[in-house]
Amino acid sequence: MTTTPAPAAAPAPTLRSGTLGTADIAFFVVSAAAPLTVMAGVAPLGLLIGGIGAPAGYLVAGITLTIFAVGFTTMSRHVRNGGGFYAYISRGLGRPAGFGAALLALLGYLAMNIGVYGLLGSATHDTLLSLFDIDVPWPVIALLGVVVIWYGGFRSIDFGAKVLGVLLLGETAILFLLAVAVLARGGAHGLSLHSFAPGNLTTGGMPGVLSMAFAAFTGFESTVIYRREAKDADRTIPRATYAAVAFLGLFYTFIVWMIIQAFGDKEVIATAAKDPTGLFFSAITTYVGPWAADAMHVMIVTSLIASLLAFHNATNRYGLAMAEEGVLPRSLGRIHFRHHSPYIAGIAQSVLAVVVVAGFAAAGADPYTRLLLWVNTPGVLGLITLQLLAALAVPLFFRRITHGEGTLRTVVAPALATLLLGAALCLVIAHIDLLTGASDSVNLVLILLIPAVFVAGLGYALRVRSRRPHIYAAFAADPAEDPGARADSRNAGPADSVLSVTTP
């Protein structure tokens, strides 16, 4: 009697490899920064603090992060782990620092994502009320937003890239429309370059502008998280990183300079002081028409949706990578068989967002001054800290391997980036009240949360090294094949939760 052999088990689903090109990854990164929201909502405050020299602050931040990107993207060609920041830091500064960075990255991306639901609720409420006379409570809008973003993250990564491409095109187009109109009319009193005069770059308020400018780039480094889904990752990721930081730096600088020209060097500060949130809407009404101001209100909402979706996808991939490492529950590493998305990580993130939004709403907290500012600020601090640690890690990593990279990329640029990012972090901490509007005691708690989480990660590393040495030994190691070789570990035993790794 013959027996029919059992059919082979279907291979575990993986992320969809070879899907994202340079433009797709750049869309994720630039969308996360929410350019329209940064310009219309934050740039007027920068003008009030730093005067007409504010555009230079964004340019300086862009140059600093470009220098950081030199070493960061060079290292990306040698580190094929999908863990982004924590993998780079672990390979340069050691596994304990990598564990600390992993928890800090998770905090940073979750905070940057969940806090924005407060602004989504507030901005959408105001837009519906002013344009359609519909009054919807902000918590309802925010919770509906959680569902929409969850669905966008649940779908395939190429679906997300297409959505972000459309939304990003809309928000940048409305700002370019304003800029072209101002240029065509020669501004209020003719075009002026006084914003870049040395005297306007050294005012007492410029450190505050710089702290806000660095916050405006948050998330640009997430290009490396998409390595497993990128086409020709060694080329695509560096190109997307440089494209994103260059676009944001030049775009922010140009648009802030244009808003100054729209009112005039002397008049813009007085106008911003009277109505900072209405500065861009007033300008576009004057130079383009009331319909454009209405469109800008709507596109701020879509800008926030794009930012939320971009951060949601990035956070999902951090959760996936850490689950595959064995340092988070393995269930978070499950990938959907059809959409090839880390859907369990997406569900967990969305549930946490619901809990946080509902908690702030139940407490009667303001969605902007509390949910957005208090939750986002640790995210900004955490991600700048990770950039600093990654810059430190680059030269140490290249000292340990044989490579053909030049000294400029592996030593000089990372060393300069370390100094500049250290100064940027100090500026953000010194001017944290600009980001939070909170009391000194609240600000102290928000600041101390960063080292506390990092130290907790160090303690977790020691625990894992003692109790699960096989997990510790394989932490942040490269997969044997790239992309997608790291197996779905949900069914793995304790000795094989991380598969096919090379020695770091």
Side-chain angles (χ1 to χ4, degrees), residues 447-459:
I447 292 170
L448 292 179
L449 184 61
I450 304 308
V453 169
F454 187 78
V455 170
L458 297 179

Side-chain angles (χ1 to χ4, degrees), residues 117-118 120-122 137-147 357 371:
Y117 283 113
L120 177 68
S122 175
W138 77 263
V140 174
I141 297 169
L143 293 173
L144 287 174
V146 173
V147 176
V357 170
L371 178 52

Side-chain angles (χ1 to χ4, degrees), residues 190-213:
L191 301 179
S192 164
L193 293 175
H194 291 162
S195 290
F196 304 99
N200 291 320
L201 304 181
T202 56
T203 63
M206 282 306 291
V209 174
L210 283 169
S211 69
M212 299 170 66

Side-chain angles (χ1 to χ4, degrees), residues 133-154:
D133 198 27
I134 299 173
D135 189 358
V136 181
W138 77 263
V140 174
I141 297 169
L143 293 173
L144 287 174
V146 173
V147 176
V148 170
I149 299 304
W150 162 80
Y151 179 74
F154 172 71

Side-chain angles (χ1 to χ4, degrees), residues 40-51:
V42 182
L45 180 59
L47 288 168
L48 290 176
I49 295 169

Side-chain angles (χ1 to χ4, degrees), residues 3-21:
T3 58
T4 303
T14 62
L15 295 177
R16 186 168 289 168
S17 62
T19 299
L20 302 178

Side-chain angles (χ1 to χ4, degrees), residues 312-336:
H312 179 86
N313 276 307
T315 307
N316 284 352
R317 279 148 184 80
Y318 259 115
L320 169 68
M322 293 173 67
E324 291 179 335
E325 299 275 13
V327 298
L328 285 182
R330 292 191 179 105
S331 60
L332 294 177
R334 292 180 182 172
I335 296 174
H336 196 269

